[in-house]
Structure formats: C-alpha cells, structure tokens
Amino acid sequence: MRKSTGKIFVIQFIKSFVFIIIFISIILVIYFAIMNFYGTDETDVIMTILPAKEQTQIHTASIDDISKQLIFCVDDETGDIEKIVLEIFNCEAHRMVYITIPINTQFTLSDSLYRELVLKKPSLPQSLKLSAVTGYFTKESVYEYGVLMIEDMLDMSISYYSVVPQSIYEKVFKTGDLPQNSVSQPDSHRLTGEVFSEGFLEFLHTITTETDLGNHIKKIYDGIESNLSLEGKLNYLESYLKVAGDNISFEIIAGVDSNSGYTVDKPMAIRQIGAYIYE
C-alpha cells in the first residue's frame, strides 16, 4: 500500500531536521576543539568580529611613579613605524633614561601571545622584525599590538605609549653616538642610538616654569597620538621640572647587532631596565 503524501513529507522533514542537528553538533565540536587548542576564551573570538568602535581598548594607560613610555616615531603619511624609544622616568629620583630599541630587532613572540594574536591575524609569523609589525595590523590597532609585543619581548609593563610623526620627532631626537655601557654593550664597539637634538637641548634651557612646560606639552599633544590623556600627562609637570640635565641618559637595549638584524639579549635587557625601575 502506498504511503500518503502527508506521511512522506513528515518522514522527509524528520530526516532533514536530524541531519541539521548532527551537522550543527559537528561544527560545535570542531569549534570548541579549536578554542581549546589555542587556549582562547569565547569572548576573545566575539571581540574579533565586533566593529572596531565596539572593541575594548587593547592597552590601558596608567600614571606611575616610575613611568614607562613607549615612543613610536612614525612616517607622517603612511604611519609606518620608523623608530622606537623606551622612556623610563623615575618621578621620585627625578631621573630619566631613553633606551633605543632598534627597528630591525628580530624577535620571537611567546607562545601565549602568539596564540592570542594569530586569531587576529592568521598570517602573523611567530618570529618577525619590529619593522614588519605595521604590515600585519591596521593603523588603528598596530601601535597597541606593538606595545604588547615589546612588553612580551622585555618582560615588562608599559605605562603608556605615544605615536609621534617623524616631523615632530626629529625636533626632539636625533641619531647619535651613545656612551659605552657595560650592561647594554658588553665587549662591543661604540653604538648609535636616539639622543636629544641640539635644538631641543637649547629649547629646554628656556623652560623655567610649570606654565612654560605645560604649554609645550599641550602644543606637542596637538600633533601626536597617545593613550595617555593630556590631563594625565600634565600630572608629571612638577616632577619633569626637577630633572637635572645630568640625570638624563641615553642607551640602546642590550643585545647584539648583525647583518641579519638586532637581537635583544633578554636577561641582560631585563637587568638593564630593572636598574632604572628598582634603583
């Protein structure tokens, strides 16, 4: 006896429904297996598909007694990172050091950070040069990811970062010879790094009051980007004015330079930075 059209429809509907349930179950099993492999929370995946304006800030600025500012010198037009300088300012000791981190530094991301970043950019290699970072992330996020990479490389926390167009940067810094340093340059030839320009040194002599310095910082902030607000930066005014010239030094991050790139000596670099953070 032939089955009625109604019965045939019901049977086919049930088969299709069961197939869909099985298919969805397989997809979910694969999804959770991948998330477990990368050690990633579901909320991280949700964040990668949200519009940029809805994403939370990757790096939050902080005002510290010993501030660690990461300075990115970038091309005025493309935003490509040209130079990187780490400024460590001890507000209590009134001491500042500017440590050059060569842009040709070759480094390897830790497994934990790599698992996090490869979800944002699957083509990102685990080993790369700092000069290549801008090729993997958008201009809106590359500097914050750059901060994460530097923190990972040097095993430290950055207080805040500033993105400075090269045209402004070169009014403050120039590339010059650095004094021999037993920590950052063991048994090596004299190296070059970022130091204050003659014009900026002359300008510093004209700064005598908090008002003078405050106006200068406000003018600088008009042309740069920073995750530290202007109000936050002005918190350092009083301490800045107490820094004597001989309490400002310039170094290069501990490591070895070669034709293939600069390689940071992580244990020595941590010791070098620690000398200013824990003095």
Side-chain angles (χ1 to χ4, degrees), residues 91-105:
C91 298
E92 295 182 356
H94 305 128
R95 179 175 176 80
M96 304 182 78
V97 61
Y98 291 89
I99 302 176
T100 299
I101 303 176
I103 194 64
N104 66 334
T105 295

Side-chain angles (χ1 to χ4, degrees), residues 54-239:
E54 295 181 25
Q55 294 190 19
T56 56
Q57 193 170 18
I58 298 169
H59 184 274
T60 303
S62 61
I63 300 174
D64 304 315
D65 290 336
I66 300 178
S67 74
K68 288 82 66 181
Q69 177 189 189
L70 197 61
I71 302 171
F72 294 105
C73 167
V74 302
D75 183 276
D76 287 55
E77 296 182 0
T78 66
D80 289 349
I81 300 173
E82 301 291 338
K83 298 178 181 180
I84 299 177
V85 177
L86 172 64
E87 175 203 79
I88 301 177
F89 177 36
N90 189 320
C91 298
E92 295 182 356
H94 305 128
R95 179 175 176 80
M96 304 182 78
V97 61
Y98 291 89
I99 302 176
T100 299
I101 303 176
I103 194 64
N104 66 334
T105 295
Q106 179 80 37
F107 66 104
T108 300
L109 297 170
S110 65
D111 290 341
S112 58
L113 182 59
Y114 180 65
R115 285 195 297 267
E116 176 185 342
L117 298 186
V118 76
L119 290 174
K120 318 289 184 182
K121 190 68 177 181
S123 62
L124 179 73
Q126 189 164 5
S127 295
L128 69 161
K129 286 186 177 181
L130 285 175
S131 57
V133 172
T134 46
Y136 291 99
F137 299 99
T138 64
K139 187 177 179 181
E140 290 75 24
S141 64
V142 65
Y143 309 116
E144 293 195 274
Y145 285 124
V147 171
L148 294 184
M149 292 179 182
I150 295 296
E151 289 181 327
D152 185 68
M153 180 199 305
L154 302 178
D155 195 20
M156 67 177 297
S157 296
I158 299 298
S159 303
Y160 63 100
Y161 70 87
S162 297
V163 181
V164 185
Q166 195 164 11
S167 57
I168 296 177
Y169 177 91
E170 291 178 347
K171 294 178 181 179
V172 179
F173 294 99
K174 69 171 186 175
T175 301
D177 290 332
L178 297 173
Q180 191 72 24
N181 183 289
S182 59
V183 174
S184 63
Q185 305 166 44
D187 303 319
S188 67
H189 58 282
R190 191 179 184 88
L191 294 178
T192 59
E194 300 306 290
V195 299
F196 285 161
S197 66
E198 288 80 3
F200 186 66
L201 288 172
E202 292 179 4
F203 171 75
L204 287 179
H205 290 300
T206 67
I207 301 293
T208 58
T209 67
E210 286 191 18
T211 300
D212 293 336
L213 184 56
N215 289 336
H216 171 66
I217 292 176
K218 291 174 183 177
K219 182 178 180 181
I220 290 291
Y221 256 62
D222 285 339
I224 72 171
E225 297 177 19
S226 179
N227 67 334
L228 180 66
S229 66
L230 174 60
E231 291 73 19
K233 186 72 170 179
L234 294 177
N235 274 289
Y236 292 108
L237 271 182
E238 183 178 350
S239 297

